[in-house]
């Protein structure tokens, strides 16, 4: 080997490197002289030397003499092409032969071009430059093809050509790229026909695709479809097909060119997003948004076909008690179990798609809109898209109530859930979803008012109730800041001593046009949570009024304030009570807090520490409406109670039935045995007062002595009150009071 021109370590980009191989020293010198002005030349005198040289580097171009001793140019070229990196290196074969066989042999060996030896050196230089430009273009093309193939591979995409012929139902041919074949699970050397692809579809999808293709071809439209397929390897995939028409010289459609892409993962993600946007995360029932979509469609169909639609508003009764006593995790368990039972009571369809359109009148596809949705919290709605009359909806309502009667087990504990259900019908109770929801809600609240665990259908008698309750709730929010709340006071009388021993503070709401009954706004205040700030105000106002009576009239009795269960959720209740009595200089024992039996029994473990702290402070505790709740002797001995208050329902039965008297006797005896005071409320007649006195209950309150009045009016009454101590009145054998 001779190397007369040494290649430097770094070559400028405008000096291509050329490997020149020729066994003739003269030809080698002449060729080098002709090319060295524009190329860096590396020389070799035979094929073997040339192969050893290229084992460590790759030239930009190779010029080979065809006829050489030993390894000739044809074999050298063929061997070079097998080396890594030489697939696209341009090779020019120099030959003195002009026969076609030599030219064909050069190309078969892998030569890029050939050149007949002559003295036209400028022509050889131009030929080499042309080969280099072509090689660069080919490399860029290959790089682009490789990048495209890589991008298509990553995107699970491939291209296709479908040649269309009106005479052939499936066209005249289908050509798929390697990437397209991979999308369908085939290798690059395999063949796949359109007929085979169609057999990957379910029968129904195949028929629908044929119908669509006929329409597309008739109108020469663009193809854009997501098609579910079952591939030969067993995978279920969704393939997106998108193509545009190709036109012939006469403007006729000759086929389609487009792409296929595996969009299964994207479709699954879209379905998940749609499911999350349309379902309740806890119960997996449709949420409010999905309910509104279903209800709107149901009403559209009902307008066209003239049938009724029913909407059932379902609200669980006393669900808050579950959360408060067993915790929110147990509450979630209960909601999940209730949702499963509601599903079983209503034909429920989980197929909800924002693009679903109810089809022709002859089918029943609108019935798929039927189902149960969760609005939030413990509120559910059942949609019945077609009913014959109200009895159909009421039958579903009763089915729901029956299903909820079975016990539920949450957090290892048995409990029961009941519901109040309101029913509204289209078009009788509303022409749109909003009106139906509102009126069903009104009927549901009527069911709660009627005692819960009930089903009520909206009717004319409830027509004004919904707006009235909404207006009342809005006004109640502003009652405190507008100073519309009032405290009325009813005195407690010790008939044995003939004196006032205390008063009970009763809340009233003085609106500009009327005085609102406590029966109307207290339940609403408890439901909305407004009862908490209202009770705070009542504590401060009651203690202020007691101090005012003391300063002006010498009143030294106490005041009782009703305490709702929500107040015991506050961590600062003790501070609130202390500040209320302390700011007016009152002793804590002049304040009595009245709790109902329901409050005590529902939250006994939670409120017990607070009650003990209040008792240690000196505040007295009274059990209101005793005997009407879930009575338990255990809590009477556990809680720091000072007083039992006999409910008015027992007092009203005095003198009417022997049972009423027996209940009073039992309560008084129990109170005495436990060392508790006892007071009767709702005393309206002298006969009731005498019987109570005879049974040992001497402290009473009721209309017999005074109606509840405001603080300004009660002050003078307290100052001027006089009552002779009540003497024992004998009874006859029948237990009736003997007239004097």
């Amino acid at each position: 080997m001779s190397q007369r021109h040494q290649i430097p370590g770094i070559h400028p980009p405008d000096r291509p490197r050329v490997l020149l191989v020729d066994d003739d020293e003269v030809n080698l010198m002449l060729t080098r002289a002709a090319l060295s002005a524009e190329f860096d030349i590396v020389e070799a005198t035979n094929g073997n030397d040339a192969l050893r040289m290229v084992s460590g580097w790759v030239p930009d171009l190779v010029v080979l003499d065809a006829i050489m001793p030993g390894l000739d140019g044809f074999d050298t070229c063929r061997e070079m092409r097998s080396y890594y990196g030489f697939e696209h290196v341009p090779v020019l074969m120099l030959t003195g032969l002009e026969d076609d066989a030599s030219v064909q042999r050069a190309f078969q060996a892998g030569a890029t071009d050939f050149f007949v030896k002559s003295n036209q050196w400028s022509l050889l230089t131009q030929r080499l430059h042309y080969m280099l430009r072509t090689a660069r273009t080919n490399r860029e093309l290959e790089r682009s093809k490789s990048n495209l193939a890589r991008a298509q591979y990553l995107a699970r995409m491939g291209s296709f050509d479908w040649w269309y012929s009106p005479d052939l139902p499936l066209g005249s041919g289908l050509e798929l790229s390697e990437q397209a074949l991979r999308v369908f699970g085939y290798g690059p050397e395999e063949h796949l026909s359109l007929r085979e692809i169609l057999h990957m579809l379910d029968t129904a999808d195949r028929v629908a695709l044929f119908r669509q293709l006929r329409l597309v071809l008739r109108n020469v439209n663009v193809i854009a479809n997501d098609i579910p397929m079952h591939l030969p390897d067993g995978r279920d995939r969704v393939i997106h097909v998108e193509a545009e028409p190709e036109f012939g010289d006469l403007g006729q459609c000759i086929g389609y060119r487009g792409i296929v892409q595996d969009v299964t993962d994207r479709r699954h993600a879209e379905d998940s997003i749609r499911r999350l946007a349309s379902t309740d995360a806890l119960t997996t029932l449709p949420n409010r948004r999905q309910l509104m979509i279903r209800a709107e469609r149901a009403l559209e169909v009902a307008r066209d076909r003239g049938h009724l639609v029913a909407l059932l508003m379902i609200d669980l009764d006393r669900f808050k008690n579950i959360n408060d006593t067993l915790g929110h995790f147990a509450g979630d368990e209960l909601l999940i179990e209730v949702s499963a039972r509601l599903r079983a009571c209503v034909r429920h369809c989980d197929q909800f798609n924002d693009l679903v359109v109810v089809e022709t009148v002859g089918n029943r596809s609108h019935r798929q809109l039927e189902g149960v949705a969760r609005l939030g919290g413990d509120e559910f709605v059942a949609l019945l898209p077609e009913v014959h009359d109200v009895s159909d909806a009421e039958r579903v309502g009763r089915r729901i109530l029956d299903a909820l009667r079975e016990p539920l087990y949450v957090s290892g504990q048995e409990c029961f859930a009941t519901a109040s259900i309101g029913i509204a019908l289209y078009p009788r109770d509303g022409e749109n979803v909003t009106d139906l929801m509102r009126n069903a809600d009104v009927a549901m609240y009527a069911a709660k008012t009627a005692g819960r665990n009930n089903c009520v259908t909206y009717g004319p008698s409830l027509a004004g109730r919904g707006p009235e309750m909404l207006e009342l709730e809005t006004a109640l929010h502003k009652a405190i800041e507008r100073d519309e709340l009032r405290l009325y006071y009813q005195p407690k009388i010790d008939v044995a001593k003939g004196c006032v021993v205390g008063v009970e503070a009763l809340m009233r709401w003085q609106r500009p046009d009327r005085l609102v009954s406590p029966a109307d706004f207290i339940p609403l205040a408890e439901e909305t949570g407004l009862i908490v700030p209202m009770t705070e105000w009542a504590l401060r106002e009651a203690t202020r009024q007691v101090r005012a009576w003391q300063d002006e009239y010498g009143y030294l009795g106490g005041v009782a304030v009703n305490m709702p269960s929500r107040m015991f959720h506050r961590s600062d209740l003790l501070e609130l009570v202390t500040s209320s009595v302390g700011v007016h200089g009152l002793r804590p024992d002049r304040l009595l807090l009245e709790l109902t039996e329901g409050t005590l029994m529902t939250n006994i473990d939670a409120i017990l520490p607070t009650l003990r702290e209040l008792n240690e402070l000196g505040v007295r505790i009274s059990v209101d409406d005793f005997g009407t709740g879930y009575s338990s002797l255990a809590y009477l001995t556990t809680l720091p109670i000072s007083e039992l208050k006999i409910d008015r329902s027992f007092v009203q039965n005095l003198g009417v039935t022997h049972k009423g008297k027996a209940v009073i006797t039992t309560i008084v005896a129990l109170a005495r045995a436990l060392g508790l005071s006892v007071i009767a409320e709702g005393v309206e007649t002298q006969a009731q007062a005498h019987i109570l006195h005879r049974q040992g209950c001497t402290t009473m309150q009721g209309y017999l002595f005074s109606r509840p009045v405001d603080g300004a009016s009660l002050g003078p009454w307290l100052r001027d009150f006089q009552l002779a101590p009540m003497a024992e009145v004998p009874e006859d054998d029948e237990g009736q009071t003997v007239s004097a």
Side-chain angles (χ1 to χ4, degrees), residues 256-272:
Y256 276 80
R257 174 168 293 169
I259 59 99
V260 290
Q261 183 179 15
D262 187 338
V263 295
T264 308
D265 294 341
R266 188 193 73 192
R267 281 291 297 271
H268 286 170
E270 290 174 352
D271 290 344
S272 296

Side-chain angles (χ1 to χ4, degrees), residues 104-167:
Q104 183 177 3
R105 186 182 175 192
F107 284 126
Q108 289 175 345
T112 307
D113 204 350
F114 71 95
F115 188 80
V116 179
K117 292 181 179 180
S118 68
N119 293 326
Q120 298 178 345
W121 301 111
S122 62
L123 181 61
L124 175 60
T125 302
Q126 294 303 320
R127 179 69 63 87
L128 294 181
H129 279 300
Y130 173 78
M131 290 175 65
L132 288 171
R133 286 196 301 271
T134 302
R136 282 195 294 268
T137 302
N138 288 336
R139 282 196 298 270
E140 291 173 359
L141 179 60
E142 288 297 325
R143 188 180 298 111
S144 297
K145 288 174 62 178
S146 176
N147 291 339
L148 176 61
R150 180 63 177 170
Q152 289 184 342
Y153 175 78
L154 294 175
R156 300 179 184 177
M157 178 190 297
S159 58
F160 72 90
D161 290 300
W162 177 42
W163 307 115
Y164 170 65
S165 173
D167 301 330

Side-chain angles (χ1 to χ4, degrees), residues 431-626:
E431 293 286 339
N432 53 58
V433 178
T434 302
D435 290 344
L436 287 175
M437 293 272 287
R438 183 186 64 244
N439 292 334
D441 198 53
V442 171
M444 182 268 292
Y445 275 105
K448 284 189 176 294
T449 304
R452 298 183 173 88
N453 193 26
N454 195 10
C455 183
V456 173
T457 302
Y458 184 81
S461 61
L462 303 175
R465 188 65 176 170
E468 178 186 339
M469 292 301 293
L470 180 60
E471 187 272 338
L472 192 66
E473 180 179 344
T474 302
L476 186 57
H477 276 273
K478 301 178 181 179
I480 298 177
E481 62 184 65
R482 291 178 177 175
D483 196 26
E484 294 179 350
L485 294 180
R486 301 286 184 270
L487 280 185
Y488 277 41
Y489 301 89
Q490 188 172 37
K492 299 179 178 180
I493 310 298
D494 186 338
V495 296
K497 299 178 181 178
C499 64
V500 178
V501 294
V503 295
E504 180 181 4
L506 303 170
M507 198 176 299
R508 298 291 186 268
W509 181 13
Q510 181 62 65
R511 301 198 65 186
D513 55 341
R514 69 187 190 279
L515 187 67
V516 183
S517 168
D520 290 333
F521 74 86
I522 292 297
L524 183 61
E526 290 180 342
E527 181 179 341
T528 58
L530 290 174
I531 195 67
V532 173
M534 292 167 64
T535 303
E536 292 178 16
W537 171 85
L539 277 170
R540 296 190 179 98
E541 174 60 19
T543 51
R544 183 204 64 79
Q545 184 63 71
V546 168
R547 181 66 194 195
W549 288 333
Q550 176 180 321
D551 294 342
E552 188 169 358
Y553 304 110
Y555 174 71
L556 298 177
V559 62
V561 178
N562 292 285
M563 293 294 290
S565 60
R566 283 179 178 265
M567 290 300 295
F568 291 93
H569 296 165
R570 296 177 55 115
S571 59
D572 62 341
L573 177 59
L574 192 65
E575 289 77 5
L576 175 63
V577 172
T578 303
S579 63
S580 297
V581 295
V583 73
H584 300 297
L586 298 178
R587 297 194 316 274
D589 61 358
R590 295 183 66 183
L591 178 63
L592 187 142
L593 302 180
E594 293 191 1
L595 293 80
T596 63
E597 271 191 305
T599 298
L600 286 171
M601 294 308 298
T602 303
N603 304 281
I604 187 168
D605 293 332
I607 70 175
L608 181 57
T610 304
L611 291 179
R612 286 175 176 166
E613 290 177 347
L614 290 170
N615 186 65
E616 291 173 1
L617 184 66
V619 177
R620 294 176 296 151
I621 307 298
S622 174
V623 180
D624 196 8
D625 302 334
F626 184 76

